[in-house]
Structures are given as structure tokens and as C-alpha cells.
Amino acid sequence: MEFGIVAGVCAREAISGARDETLATGTTLKKEINFYPVILAGGRGTRFWPLSRKKRAKQLLALDGKETMIQQTLARLLPLASARKFWIITNQDLRPAIAKQLPRVPKNQLIAEPIARNTAPAIGLAAFLLLRQYPSAVLGLFPSDHVIADEKRFRETLQRGIKLAAAGANIVVLGIRPTRAETGYGYIEAGGAYQGEALRVRRFTEKPDATKADEFVNAGNYFWNSGMFLWSARTLADALKEHLPVTATLLEEIAATFGTNRFPATFRKLYPKCENISVDYAVLEPRSAKGEEAGNIFCLPADFGWNDLGSWTALHEHQTAKSSPPEENVMVSSGTFLLNARGNYVHAPGKFVAAVGVTDLVVVETPDALLITTREQAQDVGKIVKYLDEKKMTKLT
């Protein structure tokens, strides 16, 4: 495994002067705001079994086009930061494949966790690493498996958020305007307006029940939590020291060895001692509890065609909205025959698929497995992987 501090050209680029960099969006982002995208690419994507496996998880699959999910994530952020400024937090199983898919990202910035510890330690480590080298760094936290339809608007929203994050001890979250009473997402309750489009955040609520979700949507001041955040390295490091002090101390100690031959052993020894907790619970909730004014958390309402593709059902909905296939049948195949069939998702590349008299099915074939479920039950596909793990059927996981 390769670790170290980025040197030479990369370091000069990161600390270069205040020249403007023209962006694909037609606007500019000052280079004195050193923006570093951090992509979280761990996890197994178990709800996309049997395509998603330990060493070929959802983010490494081309579910929406020719590029994989993580390649798309990198591509839409490149106009805001060069590939040398990206950091990828992943795991040992996925790191080799990610290195092949993202050859422009320095290999020593592909950090493989020795053990999964959720999002707070992952993004926290990136904050402490960057803080040592670039004290003015602004971090963006991005999951590696989201779909963004309007990339220009996405970058424009990010530019506003980056400036706000750089302006003080501020935390910025991209909030998605809800289109339905979704129970699978966290919600952001927004308060008063701040400097134009930004809204102060009152509180975060994780995955409400159907009744609450309906109340939130009808209230008009709630947004889906996209899981995309912006903050300076200093702001995040200080927040972790305040709300997660034991883990913060461990992360700081790990970061202090980065670029030396002591880093791998220190990482393996100390990282498992970090608390297994999301950044939402570790930082955002206690920070928002300080009150709307004191919390310094801001929501940027966003409408750029966001989807987190959390299941085969979500992928079917996305593909249906995107291409309007006949009778909402999404077919990945060499040919099809459809008769009295509606709302199905079938993945059988290279095969002729005939669907007769079936509705709302999900069928996914791989060389060693076959999934048959319904769109309604597709959220439970992850339970299959749990069963396979328990039975030690590792070839299928």
C-alpha cells in the first residue's frame, strides 16, 4: 500500500496564489479557497447484490451509463478541483479496483480503512490530514454512489457552499427539496434565511416514519439530507474535538504519522479504537442542538436531479424517469419480448429476455447467482448478503 504526502507539482498547485480558475460552469472559484473533495467509497452496496460484491461494490459498477458511479462522482467535481486534490476513503477490498478506475488521483490519497468505522472517523481523518498540510483547506464530503442530473447547477450550488464554508466556522449541507414523503432519507429542518439562498438549520431527523415524513413534506421547510457537506478542515477538526474527543485524539495521532513509515502500523493500531458513528450523529446533531443561531449550520436548498440509488427499486425509478421505457419495463439484455408486462427491472446482459404477464419484478442475473424479487421488497436484498455471510458462502459475497 502506498502512503505519503503529496509532493512537488501537487503541493505547489495546492498552495498557489490567488489566480482565478475558470470553471466549466462559466464562473470562477478563487484558488485561495483551497477546495479538497473527499469521496467516501467504502461499504459493500449489499442491496445491489448479486452485482455488488466485496471487491466490486456498487460504487464500482456502471449502473447509470458507461462510467462507474465513482468515476461519475470524480468527473462532475473535476471542474472545481484538480484530480490531485481528491482524497478517497475506502477499504482494503476496494482500493485496488478504485486505483484502476481513478488513475489520476494520487495513490497515496486512496486511504484504505483497516476496519469500517462509519463516516465521522473517515471524514475526520481527512480533516486532520489536510489540516497539517493546508490549514485553510475547505473539505467537501461526497458519497461515491449518487446520481446528479444537472451537473452545472450542482457545481453552482457547491461554489456558493464552498464560499460560505470558508467564511468562518460554518457547516454547510446540501438539502434536496423533497418530492415525496420518503422514509428512507434523513431530513433537515430549515429556519431563517442567511445571506441569500442559505437557510439556518434547526435540527436533523433520521429516517422518520411515514406519518412524520408526510408532516415534514407538507410543512415546506424540510429538506432531504443529501449526505453532502462542506466545511473547513479547522471547523471539522474542532467540532470533532468538542463532540468526539477520544476519536479526535486518535485521528490526530494517526495523521501525525502520515508520510512516514510509521503510518501504516499506527493506522492499523489506532483506527479500530475510533468510535463507530456517523458524522450526522457525532457532529451535526449536537451542533444543531446549540440552537439555530449558535449552531452555524446552513442548508443550501438544491434542485439538481439528485438520487442516491439505494436499491434496485431506486435504480428502476431513476431509469424510468430518465428514458421513459415502454410500460416502465427497464431491460438490460440483448433483446426483449414483452406481453402484458409492466414496471419490471431485468438485468440479463447478453441474453434475450421474454416477460409475459408479470408486474413490478426485479430480476438480476450474474454468472453465479440469480436474484428474483419485487420492487416493493427490493429493500430487503441486503438480508441475502447477511445470510451468505453467516453461511460463509464467501464466493457469493
Side-chain angles (χ1 to χ4, degrees), residues 245-259:
V246 174
T247 291
T249 299
L250 293 168
L251 295 175
E252 198 166 19
E253 189 174 343
I254 294 168
T257 67
F258 189 71

Side-chain angles (χ1 to χ4, degrees), residues 341-361:
R342 180 175 177 81
N344 300 291
Y345 182 94
V346 178
H347 179 97
K351 291 194 174 181
F352 183 89
V353 173
V356 179
V358 292
T359 303
D360 297 338
L361 287 182

